[in-house]
Amino acid sequence: MKYCVKCGLPENYQGMRLNEAQVCNYCSFFEKHKDILTDYEALETQFQREVMQAKERAGAQGSKYDCIVGLSGGKDGAYITYQLKHKYGMRVLTYTLDNGFSTEFGKNNIAVLLDKLDVDHIRITVNETQLRNYYSASMKLMHNFCSVCFHLCHYYSHLLASQYGIPLIVNGRTRSQILQAADARKGIEPFEISGNLLEFEYQMFGKLAEKSASRGRMDYLQNVQVTSLSYFMYHDIGEEEKMDFLEKNVGWKKPETSVPHPDCWAHPMAEKCSIEKHGYPVRTGELSELVREGKITKEDACKEREEDLLHYSNVDMELEKRFYERIRRRG
């Protein structure tokens, strides 16, 4: 197995290419655009400009809200909601997709946040039979189920924005999630900001979104125009910094373990699916991106990747059983 000499990314990572110097295409892209991607003063100015435009559009339309944010009970949505309301003075509508994978940790933190911040909240439920069909089909076709949650969150955030006249969606994607597989400016913030559901899903899924749209199998709300921003693309905030801030200002509870995504009990299955399908755990690309940004060393990234690989290659049998019972088709 070959690895990128700069970030340690393994050669089996999707879309990864090594040049003659054994440097991957993602490192090359980051180095080429590093001045833009790490100019946080300019990024903050860009974010503020989008916020001001959203406020103006909401005011002109007589909208009750300036923006909408999704809450899962994790730190990202909670931190964003607080900052948008208190730092940027925005009127925020929040929503949660009830997918049956939420943990008590996540549910409790949502309740604490809503009580503390006094923001409006909508809980979205999907027809249970339909939801199970989505998960079952996704597992059969792609050996992946997270994409169903992603799409439903994207779809309903755009739908709610349209229904309430909200001009801006702010999501919690991290810089590492955005830049982990970036080797061209197309579909990458801050170079391109999406203005509708299809453009946003292209940012997430690439050409797969265009293929789905061309086949007419999914509703992309063609007439809905809403701007989407990834808050952490424009702000350099560490994971511990987010949690410390929320603990102090909101009463948000930190997870008892360092296991990723404590708001979703099915996350170990997502990791196992990634290992079985691709040969590497979910955080592989994100860890290498952190190396490019100088946040961790290449050695630490490789160590964490190997720990995830070892930890998630075998999932607790009871959890796996619970997962398949959750997504099993009825009837």
Side-chain angles (χ1 to χ4, degrees):
M1 177 78 72
K2 295 180 180 179
Y3 300 86
C4 174
V5 296
K6 285 195 171 184
C7 71
L9 192 68
E11 64 179 340
N12 64 337
Y13 188 78
Q14 283 187 303
M16 191 267 223
R17 301 185 304 276
L18 291 171
N19 62 20
E20 293 181 356
Q22 302 301 296
V23 175
C24 74
N25 47 320
Y26 305 128
C27 278
S28 297
F29 176 84
F30 183 82
E31 286 301 316
K32 180 179 179 180
H33 300 286
K34 186 175 182 178
D35 289 345
I36 297 174
L37 294 172
T38 58
D39 186 347
Y40 288 102
E41 183 176 344
L43 290 170
E44 170 66 16
T45 298
Q46 183 178 358
F47 185 82
Q48 288 183 0
R49 184 168 58 249
E50 294 291 341
V51 165
M52 290 304 298
Q53 291 175 357
K55 288 182 176 181
E56 291 172 1
R57 292 199 301 272
Q61 296 169 182
S63 303
K64 183 179 179 181
Y65 307 103
D66 300 311
C67 63
I68 183 170
V69 177
L71 299 178
S72 66
K75 60 188 176 299
D76 296 329
Y79 184 88
I80 291 169
T81 301
Y82 186 99
Q83 295 297 335
L84 290 176
K85 179 172 182 178
H86 291 283
K87 180 178 179 179
Y88 296 96
M90 301 196 82
R91 300 170 299 166
V92 186
L93 174 65
T94 62
Y95 75 94
T96 298
L97 175 69
D98 187 359
N99 58 11
F101 293 130
S102 298
T103 62
E104 289 305 310
F105 166 85
K107 293 175 182 177
N108 290 339
N109 274 331
I110 290 175
V112 168
L113 181 74
L114 295 177
D115 179 66
K116 182 73 173 182
L117 293 188
D118 190 28
V119 292
D120 290 344
H121 180 255
I122 294 175
R123 182 169 295 278
I124 300 168
T125 58
V126 182
N127 177 276
E128 183 63 18
T129 298
Q130 190 177 36
L131 189 58
R132 287 171 179 265
N133 289 342
Y134 288 154
Y135 285 127
S136 296
S138 184
M139 282 292 289
K140 182 178 180 180
L141 293 172
M142 300 186 294
H143 202 54
N144 170 286
F145 63 95
C146 295
S147 56
V148 174
C149 299
F150 292 150
H151 175 71
L152 290 175
C153 285
H154 305 160
Y155 176 85
Y156 283 108
S157 64
H158 283 75
L159 183 63
L160 287 171
S162 175
Q163 292 173 341
Y164 285 88
I166 302 172
L168 178 65
I169 299 168
V170 184
N171 69 76
R173 289 197 301 161
T174 66
R175 288 173 59 85
S176 295
Q177 289 169 339
I178 295 168
L179 297 174
Q180 61 181 318
D183 63 358
R185 292 165 66 115
K186 179 175 173 56
I188 300 296
E189 286 184 85
F191 306 110
E192 291 189 0
I193 296 175
S194 70
N196 56 53
L197 177 56
L198 180 56
E199 290 177 357
F200 184 73
E201 293 233 319
Y202 182 89
Q203 292 183 349
M204 291 286 294
F205 303 125
K207 293 181 179 179
L208 177 61
E210 293 181 338
K211 184 183 293 185
S212 297
S214 65
R215 293 181 178 179
R217 294 183 177 180
M218 301 175 73
D219 181 7
Y220 281 97
L221 303 170
Q222 287 83 351
N223 297 322
V224 175
Q225 297 296 311
V226 184
T227 299
S228 290
L229 290 178
S230 302
Y231 185 90
F232 298 112
M233 188 66 242
Y234 307 89
H235 303 85
D236 187 20
I237 311 295
E239 301 301 285
E240 287 297 324
E241 185 179 354
K242 296 175 197 175
M243 290 190 286
D244 289 342
F245 180 90
L246 290 169
E247 188 175 48
K248 177 181 178 181
N249 293 280
V250 181
W252 191 88
K253 299 297 182 183
K254 288 185 178 182
E256 295 180 355
T257 69
S258 60
V259 175
H261 302 285
D263 51 336
C264 175
W265 62 260
H267 180 73
M269 285 302 301
E271 294 279 3
K272 184 180 180 183
C273 287
S274 177
I275 292 169
E276 291 175 344
K277 181 177 180 179
H278 302 297
Y280 50 79
V282 171
R283 290 196 302 162
T284 296
E286 297 173 45
L287 290 168
S288 289
E289 199 283 326
L290 289 173
V291 176
R292 293 175 206 127
E293 298 230 29
K295 301 294 178 62
I296 60 175
T297 66
K298 181 176 70 173
E299 291 71 25
D300 284 343
C302 293
K303 180 182 177 182
E304 288 193 45
R305 183 179 68 240
E306 290 304 312
E307 288 175 351
D308 281 359
L309 183 63
L310 180 64
H311 182 74
Y312 291 114
S313 291
N314 294 293
V315 172
D316 178 78
M317 292 181 62
E318 288 301 315
L319 187 145
E320 187 166 357
K321 179 181 177 182
R322 180 186 177 191
F323 170 76
Y324 281 109
E325 288 177 349
R326 171 71 192 95
I327 71 168
R328 184 176 294 120
R329 296 174 187 263
R330 288 178 169 174

